[in-house]
Amino acid sequence: MGDLYSLPEAVRRQAEANLRPDERVEWAGTPSPSRVLLNSSVIWIFAIPWTAFAVAWETIALSVLFAGEIDGPGGGMWVWIFPLFGAPFVLIGICLLGAPFWAAHSARATGFVVTNQRLMELRAGSTEQSKFLSPEEIRGVEVRRHGRGTGSVKAICKPVRDRDGDRVYDDWALPGVLDADGAVAAIRRLIDMAGINPRSAVSIAR
């Protein structure tokens, strides 16, 4: 079972600062950067063709600019518009390609803590972020095992209503954590100790 000392030091200090006097840690762990990278890389299906098209456009536009092949009235203006128009699309493509690597980097400064009172998600860095989930908001647990004790755990949350009255599901994902079974057991104890939904199902995907 993970404890606070399994977390990166900055995340551990953040967790200790957020613990209540009567709060007890049941489990703690970090997401796997490689698993986060793998899960996020699906964006490349869109990002690669987007970036390829944007770079091709920009290359052609710049070649026309330096060759000075647009003549006639307004030619001097148009020769600059096409490169300027394409530049933001290239920048967006680069950001999309880099997004999975940024997510993996962020995972290295992220920690999850299950206590006898709530579930925490903590992110260290230049700006600390803390999220808390009470047992009243949880209706079940799902786990997908990856082998050697690791797995991706999801706390299934009860739906809430948005401004339009539609149901919104904001489940909490704990991707690629070590001791996935320990995380599931701790979340189940959290629900059971609160006396809420004691038969919450654990859905297991292999």
Side-chain angles (χ1 to χ4, degrees), residues 10-204:
V11 180
R12 176 177 59 81
R13 292 197 303 267
Q14 188 178 351
E16 291 172 340
N18 279 285
L19 284 175
R20 298 163 178 163
D22 58 343
E23 199 167 12
R24 182 180 67 255
V25 174
E26 297 286 330
W27 178 90
T30 58
S32 165
S34 60
R35 178 59 54 175
V36 171
L37 176 64
L38 180 63
N39 292 345
S40 303
S41 61
V42 68
I43 197 175
W44 287 339
I45 298 174
F46 172 77
I48 291 174
W50 170 288
T51 308
F53 176 80
V55 170
W57 170 285
E58 192 69 6
T59 301
I60 294 171
L62 289 174
S63 66
V64 172
L65 171 64
F66 289 114
E69 295 178 359
I70 298 181
D71 299 321
M77 178 184 67
W78 283 106
V79 80
W80 283 100
I81 286 179
F82 287 109
L84 292 175
F85 176 81
F89 292 93
V90 174
L91 182 60
I92 291 172
I94 293 172
C95 291
L96 291 174
L97 290 174
F101 297 102
W102 174 253
H105 173 76
S106 179
R108 294 186 176 90
T110 299
F112 301 104
V113 179
V114 183
T115 73
N116 61 328
Q117 298 181 18
R118 54 187 172 162
L119 172 59
M120 303 182 187
E121 179 180 341
L122 308 166
R123 295 179 186 271
S126 56
T127 302
E128 293 186 350
Q129 299 179 26
S130 304
K131 291 172 58 180
F132 307 99
L133 187 66
S134 66
E136 292 85 357
E137 300 174 83
I138 307 173
R139 63 184 178 91
V141 183
E142 180 180 285
V143 56
R144 181 181 295 273
R145 294 190 175 90
H146 308 311
R148 298 185 179 181
T150 65
S152 294
V153 179
K154 183 186 292 183
I156 310 298
C157 298
K158 296 178 180 178
V160 296
R161 298 282 183 179
D162 63 12
R163 292 182 178 179
D164 298 325
D166 299 322
R167 285 191 171 190
V168 177
Y169 296 85
D170 188 17
D171 299 334
W172 279 41
L174 289 68
V177 294
L178 296 174
D179 188 23
D181 288 339
V184 170
I187 294 173
R188 286 295 304 273
R189 287 195 300 272
L190 172 64
I191 297 172
D192 293 343
M193 283 187 293
I196 299 167
N197 193 19
R199 293 185 179 181
S200 58
V202 177
S203 172
I204 300 176

